[in-house]
Amino acid sequence: MKDKRLLKLIRVYLTSGIMYEGVVQAHTEGTPQGAPLSPLLSNILLDELDKELERRGHRFCRYADDCNTYVKSHEAGMRVMASLTRFLEKRLRLTVNRDKSAVGRPWARKFLGYSMTWHRKPRLKVAPESVRRLKGRIREVVRKGRGRAVGRVITDLAPLLTGWTEYFRLAEVKVTFEQLDEWLRRKLRCILWRQWKKPRTRAKRLMERGIDQARAYTSAYNGFGPWWNAGASHMNAAVPVKWFAQQGLMSFLARHRSFNSLS
């Protein structure tokens, strides 16, 4: 690369430091995570890899340093992975992350958070790892909101849920979004059950929400934990889907459909 202006820009990025808790700190190696320089350097360095894959006639898809190469059999996959590892390590002098690199069926692998079904004409779906990461982030918000009104927790969750659903707008398998809707409503019902604390209070709140007295007291004194009760029929009846919509809770499925209806 001989473009002096681009080289100067890269050097400025590398020496600019990072902002941590409002204070600029110097760094001695690497690039800050999420910085625009990382994909730029990846594309500059891995351009030779792209040309090598094209020369070999492979079908592949690469985004920054995340690359999938598609071949017809497991044996071919093993050979290609071994040869590409040698190419990257000897020709480009890069270190291959062997923990994240593997040969597998397309539907058992993921790319940029997506995976696909095993059908002859595969459909895009959200990878299980992406769902687990989202649930972890939701748990963090919910854990902080146990002492707050559910409406406030819903407000705090809104940017995360909207951004995540928009990112996965290309997914064609809807069941993931349906299951996330059910799981999140149960998490929020769990907050309510915990906040009601005592059995007498729980019975009172259930009756206020339309549960008859006998059922309310039986449910309030059943001895099961918050998560079990959050998924039980009495909480589903007392805190229905309509109530969550009134509180402003975004439906994963409805939002996904709205994104696709606009495209």
Side-chain angles (χ1 to χ4, degrees):
M1 186 169 56
K2 300 179 181 180
D3 190 326
K4 293 183 178 180
R5 293 176 300 173
L6 181 56
L7 290 171
K8 183 178 180 181
L9 178 61
I10 291 174
R11 178 170 291 278
V12 170
Y13 267 118
L14 289 173
T15 59
S16 62
I18 58 176
M19 182 76 74
Y20 180 73
E21 295 185 350
V23 179
V24 177
Q25 298 181 354
H27 66 285
T28 57
E29 62 181 5
T31 59
Q33 187 173 2
L37 182 60
S38 295
L40 172 62
L41 291 178
S42 296
N43 286 329
I44 292 173
L45 189 58
L46 295 176
D47 179 65
E48 195 169 347
L49 172 64
D50 295 344
K51 292 177 179 176
E52 177 67 14
L53 290 169
E54 290 173 352
R55 185 186 67 79
R56 298 184 186 187
H58 290 315
R59 295 184 178 182
F60 69 96
C61 187
R62 182 179 67 79
Y63 181 85
D65 62 346
D66 193 354
C67 183
N68 281 7
T69 306
Y70 303 99
V71 293
K72 293 184 178 180
S73 68
H74 184 271
E75 291 74 16
M78 295 298 292
R79 290 196 304 270
V80 171
M81 182 174 176
S83 63
L84 289 181
T85 299
R86 287 195 300 271
F87 178 85
L88 290 167
E89 293 183 339
K90 294 183 178 180
R91 180 72 174 271
L92 300 184
R93 297 182 182 179
L94 297 173
T95 301
V96 176
N97 189 328
R98 299 177 188 275
D99 293 332
K100 293 184 179 180
S101 303
V103 175
R105 297 288 188 179
W107 51 86
R109 304 298 296 164
K110 66 180 181 66
F111 184 67
L112 302 180
Y114 282 88
S115 185
M116 61 182 71
T117 64
W118 53 267
H119 301 90
R120 186 174 181 83
K121 292 185 177 180
R123 295 186 297 161
L124 278 178
K125 67 176 185 178
V126 182
E129 295 89 338
S130 301
V131 175
R132 284 195 291 269
R133 282 198 296 270
L134 173 67
K135 287 184 175 182
R137 296 174 67 184
I138 290 175
R139 286 189 184 98
E140 291 177 6
V141 177
V142 170
R143 194 176 296 115
K144 296 176 182 177
R146 286 179 179 174
R148 294 181 293 167
V150 170
R152 176 63 186 277
V153 177
I154 290 173
T155 300
D156 293 343
L157 284 170
L160 169 62
L161 306 187
T162 302
W164 189 90
T165 310
E166 183 169 8
Y167 179 82
F168 288 105
R169 65 192 301 170
L170 298 177
E172 300 168 278
V173 178
K174 307 297 190 298
V175 66
T176 299
F177 301 95
E178 296 174 354
Q179 291 172 345
L180 281 171
D181 277 333
E182 296 173 359
W183 179 84
L184 180 54
R185 288 193 295 265
R186 187 170 179 177
K187 291 293 290 185
L188 296 174
R189 291 187 183 106
C190 195
I191 291 178
L192 288 172
W193 191 260
R194 290 179 184 275
Q195 289 178 345
W196 294 344
K197 293 183 180 179
K198 297 181 180 180
R200 183 176 294 276
T201 303
R202 289 168 176 168
K204 179 180 178 182
R205 295 289 181 263
L206 289 172
M207 287 188 289
E208 289 173 351
R209 292 168 177 269
I211 306 299
D212 65 79
Q213 184 176 6
R215 185 184 179 192
Y217 273 92
T218 300
S219 301
Y221 285 88
N222 61 32
F224 292 106
W227 181 250
W228 186 91
N229 279 282
S233 60
H234 54 271
M235 281 298 283
N236 278 269
V239 193
V241 175
K242 181 179 178 181
W243 184 85
F244 286 112
Q246 293 170 345
Q247 302 304 306
L249 179 64
M250 184 204 81
S251 164
F252 284 98
L253 183 60
R255 189 70 171 177
H256 182 264
R257 285 173 173 167
S258 70
F259 284 138
N260 283 276
S261 65
L262 296 174
S263 59

